[in-house]
Amino acid sequence: MASSMSVSRRRFGRLLARISGSRRQFSSTTSSISIDDQQQQQAQPQPQPRSLNLYSAINQALHIALDSDPRAYVFGEDVGFGGVFRCTTGLADRFGKSRVFNTPLCEQGIVGFGIGLAAMGNRAIAEIQFADYIYPAFDQIVNEAAKFRYRSGNQFNCGGLTIRAPYGAVGHGGHYHSQSPEAFFCHVPGIKVVIPRSPRQAKGLLLSCIRDPNPVVFFEPKWLYRLSVEEVPEHDYMLPLSEAEVIREGNDITLVGWGAQLSIMEQACIDAEKDGISCELIDLRTLIPWDKETVEASVRKTGRLLISHEAPVTGGFGAEISASIVERCFLRLEAPVSRVCGLDTPFPLVFEPFYMPTKNKILDAIKATVNY
Amino acid sequence: MALSHIASSSSRSKNLLKPIAAVLSCTPSLRRPISTSSDSTTLTIETSVPFTAHNCEAPSRSVETTPKELLSFFHDMALMRRMEIAADSLYKAKLIRGFCHLYDGQEAVAVGMEAAITKKDSIITAYRDHCTFIGRGGTLLEVFSELMGRQDGCSRGKGGSMHFYKKESGFYGGHGIVGAQIPLGCGLAFAQKYKKDETVTFALYGDGAANQGQLFEALNIAALWDLPAILVCENNHYGMGTAEWRAAKSPAYYKRGDYVPGLKVDGMDVLAVKQVCKFAKEHALKNGPLILEMDTYRYHGHSMSDPGSTYRTRDEISGVRQERDPIERVRKLILAHDLATEKELKDTEKELRKEVDEAIAKAKESPMPDPSELFTNIYVKGLGAESFGADRKEVRVVLP
């Protein structure tokens, strides 16, 4: 079932024209729309998709989430005024300040409060203003949210909790506004970690996260908030969690990434193609629990794997993917798994260009792996 | 909805402007409380508003100062103001990257505090740290170099706006996470108490940070062990874009230590700040921690991405500028006592403007840190990290 779905999604993807509009643009397929959605679309005509940037897509998803579930709440620092990245613009006006409200600056309190709210059967959508500020809430996420269901023998859970946080580099963010902390949370059974790569993905995945019966940490690539623009369906749709997506097919090497890094990787794929290297690019989308099967199937085909993320290479989630794929495809691999990631330093201020896993670093690693 | 926002915020901002009313009523008397003639070296000046105390005796409203000190207050605050305005332009010109939080409006806190303590005392603050650094004796060149990520910066260009430090004069920085620096301040104070060197730590935080759990952990520790820690809440009335009353059940921050005594001060009155910090140091050495709530105001938005005008009215900002500005207050005092002429003060400001411009020009010439600095100071001897350029065959290094 899963494989037939992915085949049909891929085919559907190729039928659609690529939409471009920004520097950090993806080849935007709708291959991510689930079969149910397609059928639904055929059954009743939907309004034409509009070109949206990523923050507007998030905003639309939040509007839908609050509209479709009267027990959904949005809260966080400054969200009542639209948030520092404008993701919550207009929500308080439309749904009132008892459902969309500012909190004090107290991340631990925000998440703890969200867990309690969710435990009463509500959809608690908490915003941490920057992923860099999530650490005061680390204890609540790891010890309270993730284990609530397990340790109460399924009497209680906080499945309605979704924590949104902008992550990643913006070109000049410095130490405290650029970090990618996803790997910390991937070490925590009981929560899901989801990262979208584009506006259409962000809307569908965020709605899935909000409605998922497990607590989810949803990291938004803040570099793409304004830069990434694509057509986003107006209607309420969800994209499946824990399903990776092949966004570019190839035969020589498999590239796996997530979030903002994918656009960099795609540029490297395009450049590699000029040298006759055919790259397959996979968006992991959900980091835990992750879609090993799709990655495995791809590596079985190409025999090579490259993983890229902004977080430091040591202990990054790339390490987990690498280990898992080596376990599963050891005899099929024709080269060591390559990781092109952030360096093992604090996120630097003036040295950001050196730190980042840039296109040329990826391209170089693609060639090194293919010619191994 | 939007309307009710404005209505409610304006009714609340009356509270915010209360000190202004108090100042206004006091303004005619600004000249009166002077007890000595202007040629004498000591002046006694009454603070704009009385101190409000929680669980302690308030210090006297009569502050002793000298003409020299008043002129230096004017000089230092005007320098800070000019510096922050220049930083604003540099940020807009994209010469400063990263996040940048400006201090203009709050200068009296940094300057008044320094007037009451020595460089052996410690200060630790959050990310709005440029002027605190200058107060500790930092130079303009260090400031602008650091802001632009150059080698001559106080953190050798590796920290940027939010991470200024000056070890030799007890400035422990420069911290990025709201409220995280307060418990650190208690650690500094414990070390000071242990060494019995009769010094104290001023741990600064904003009204936004006052709602972080870490503050209350720090308060308990400080009080439990009688640490010479002075927790200074720089209340500029907005935690990022949220007015204090929207975020705090009790915006009387000086009272929120409960068992820790507190004082509320007009943080726009440099003499009041000086008086209260002098009092606080003596108190902390004898009795342990104290909270000082400095009622102040930032003219700029929270950071450079915040225009600062969406959650408060322009009238409110210009009202504070007109009625409570810390520099104008000192200017009036100087003129009232004939310590300098209006022209002399204007000349000082012109001179400062030149100083700032020169420092910027010099900072621009300062080189960027060496690329190897990316890997230093992570561990004592570096990480042994391997790095490579775009082509790993050309540039490949293993760092010390």
Side-chain angles (χ1 to χ4, degrees), chain A residues 78 84 86, chain B residues 88 91-92 99-102 128 238-242 298-312:
Chain A
D78 288 345
V84 288
R86 314 312 301 154
Chain B
D88 178 275
Y91 193 93
K92 284 170 182 156
F99 281 63
C100 183
H101 308 79
L102 301 178
R128 202 179 301 284
Y238 296 92
M240 298 192 290
T242 303
R298 65 166 148 77
Y299 294 147
H300 264 92
H302 165 73
S303 72
M304 299 308 296
S305 50
D306 167 21
S309 51
T310 48
Y311 46 84
R312 54 185 190 180

Side-chain angles (χ1 to χ4, degrees), chain A residues 77-78 80-81 84-85 92-93 96-97 102-108 129-130 132-133 135-136 170-177 222 338-340 343-346 348-351 354-355 358 360-366 368, chain B residues 1-2 4-5 91 97-99 101 146 148-149 157-163 176-178 208-209 211-214 217 239-242 246-247 311 368-371 373-375 378 383 385-393:
Chain A
E77 293 160 12
D78 288 345
F81 304 111
V84 288
F85 293 106
D93 288 342
K97 51 186 175 185
N102 290 335
T103 61
L105 309 190
C106 52
E107 291 77 11
Q108 186 172 15
Q129 197 163 61
F130 282 86
D132 311 63
Y133 309 166
Y135 300 112
V170 287
H172 62 280
H175 316 292
Y176 286 89
H177 296 89
K222 61 177 167 292
S338 175
R339 286 179 291 160
V340 184
L343 304 176
D344 285 329
T345 72
L349 177 62
V350 291
F351 295 125
F354 300 153
Y355 171 93
T358 53
N360 284 346
K361 284 186 190 175
I362 297 168
L363 184 62
D364 181 58
I366 289 173
Chain B
M1 175 61 203
S4 76
H5 255 334
Y91 193 93
R97 311 309 307 268
F99 281 63
H101 308 79
E146 192 58 44
M148 294 192 277
K158 291 174 79 167
S161 163
M162 311 205 300
H163 309 289
I177 297 296
V178 168
N211 301 315
Q212 286 275 6
Q214 302 199 49
E217 299 180 25
M240 298 192 290
T242 303
R246 292 178 193 271
Y311 46 84
M368 304 278 277
D370 188 84
E373 288 282 332
L374 171 56
F375 296 92
I378 300 171
L383 183 54
E386 192 182 32
S387 177
F388 51 86
D391 181 340
R392 66 186 68 194
K393 287 171 281 302

Side-chain angles (χ1 to χ4, degrees), chain B residues 29-62:
Chain B
S29 66
L30 267 181
R31 289 154 199 250
R32 245 188 296 128
I34 294 141
S35 56
T36 51
S37 62
S38 60
D39 56 319
S40 161
T41 48
T42 310
L43 303 166
T44 306
I45 294 168
E46 192 150 301
T47 61
S48 57
V49 286
F51 302 104
T52 321
H54 166 71
N55 281 349
C56 67
E57 286 281 309
S60 156
R61 279 182 76 178
S62 302

Side-chain angles (χ1 to χ4, degrees), chain A residues 49 66 89 91 136 143 194 205 254 305 325 334 352 365:
Chain A
L66 288 169
T89 303
L91 290 175
N143 281 328
V194 178
L205 287 172
T254 300
L305 175 62
I325 292 304
E334 291 175 32
E352 181 172 326

